Amino acid sequence: MCRHLGYVGPPASVGELLTRGTHSLRTQAWAPKDMRGGGTINADGFGAAWWRDGAGGAPEASRYRNADPIWTDPAVEEVLPQLVSGAVLGSIRSATVGMPIERAACAPFTDGRWAFSHNGAVPEWRKVLTAVISELDVVATRAGATRLFETARLLEAESPTDAAALWVLLRDLLRSAESGGFASSPATALRLLVAAVLRHMPTARLNLLIGDGEQLWATTVHHALSALVTDDVAILSSEPYDDDPRWQPIPDRKLVYAKPGVLSIEELTPPDDSV
């Protein structure tokens, strides 16, 4: 069900981060250790996002994606190592049965300063996310916001997959947060989306990862995630890429925030959470 990695720290080579360590993200493509019943390998494509200065100096995400297995692409060792960034988000894909294997289905999905990856699956995602749209519209209305979502928004997804459709909804929630809307922060956007999906599909697997070039946010719903945070670097990864004892496993049903020197782990859906 995919593996992903987010990095914020001193400028580093994009390609080197994909291959770093004895259990790198690339190695996890064919030898993952903790898939939790979500497949055996991650051979249905990969991608990487990195950040550069955009208009006004604000970070802006760029990306590279390929529908082929990561170990077959020479760009990983010949091109991506030449790209250097202080933030990187990498993903390798294990496609859910019935979903297309194509470049457009590969994370990261990007929008301005944001990059997103999904490790998991939403059964009956079209039906579920249509219901989620209606629910989030109710929330927005209660908060005095104008209508954010329409079912037709799902047609904007880059690919007919649960991950691409989830990104359409999360992207709009993040835009709401940036404009002072009812989703007041990236953390709130993640909470709203995950809580709504789980109400309509309790068996959904929702390890989400987003980055803005300076910070990382993630959720854990069923799948594994570990963190390595020091004063200089913050890394969130589906599996540790080496045996550094500072790696910290993240429990299930958590909301994680990380940047160099800061690691916050909170309950994802507190008992009093309501939408």
Side-chain angles (χ1 to χ4, degrees):
M1 286 298 173
C2 311
R3 308 275 83 182
H4 51 212
L5 175 148
Y7 168 91
V8 178
S13 158
V14 176
E16 189 272 331
L17 281 168
L18 298 179
T19 59
R20 177 181 291 183
T22 56
H23 191 61
S24 68
L25 193 65
R26 181 171 62 178
T27 300
Q28 292 170 38
W30 69 79
K33 295 180 179 179
D34 191 2
M35 292 287 280
R36 303 191 181 183
T40 55
I41 61 173
N42 300 280
D44 299 317
F46 76 100
W50 60 95
W51 280 258
R52 55 185 175 81
D53 289 340
E60 185 172 322
S62 298
R63 67 180 174 183
Y64 174 85
R65 299 182 295 172
N66 188 341
D68 295 328
I70 187 173
W71 63 81
T72 69
D73 190 338
V76 175
E77 292 186 340
E78 296 178 2
V79 179
L80 295 181
Q82 300 178 50
L83 301 172
V84 175
S85 177
V88 175
L89 195 155
S91 175
I92 50 176
R93 182 171 184 243
S94 175
T96 301
V97 174
M99 293 191 185
I101 299 174
E102 59 184 11
R103 180 176 175 272
C106 297
F109 301 98
T110 59
D111 179 62
R113 68 188 179 108
W114 293 105
F116 165 78
S117 175
H118 171 216
N119 172 22
V122 181
E124 300 178 43
W125 65 270
R126 291 180 176 86
K127 175 182 177 181
V128 170
L129 296 186
T130 298
V132 167
I133 285 175
S134 297
E135 187 170 307
L136 291 175
D137 269 333
V138 171
V139 180
T141 301
R142 288 175 181 170
T146 57
R147 186 174 187 185
L148 280 179
F149 304 103
E150 296 179 357
T151 302
R153 298 286 276 168
L154 294 181
L155 298 177
E156 297 180 12
E158 291 186 56
S159 180
T161 68
D162 51 0
L166 279 168
W167 173 234
V168 170
L169 303 188
L170 181 56
R171 178 197 65 192
D172 286 356
L173 286 168
L174 291 170
R175 290 175 179 174
S176 171
E178 290 178 328
S179 63
F182 80 100
S184 58
S185 67
T188 300
L190 287 168
R191 287 187 189 277
L192 285 167
L193 181 59
V194 170
V197 172
L198 290 177
R199 263 190 290 278
H200 293 279
M201 182 55 67
T203 60
R205 302 179 177 195
L206 297 167
N207 274 37
L208 310 182
L209 175 63
I210 57 174
D212 68 354
E214 298 175 342
Q215 306 159 96
L216 300 167
W217 293 260
T219 63
T220 56
V221 179
H222 186 82
H223 285 296
L225 186 72
S226 291
L228 195 165
V229 176
T230 70
D231 289 341
D232 301 317
V233 68
I235 304 169
L236 300 178
S237 180
S238 295
E239 300 179 16
Y241 56 64
D242 60 19
D243 58 2
D244 191 317
R246 294 173 296 180
W247 283 103
Q248 176 179 342
I250 308 298
D252 198 31
R253 303 293 173 121
K254 300 299 181 184
L255 174 67
V256 183
Y257 168 74
K259 66 178 182 179
V262 178
L263 176 63
S264 171
I265 304 171
E266 301 178 356
E267 293 296 324
L268 179 58
T269 52
D272 60 349
D273 179 75
S274 61
V275 173

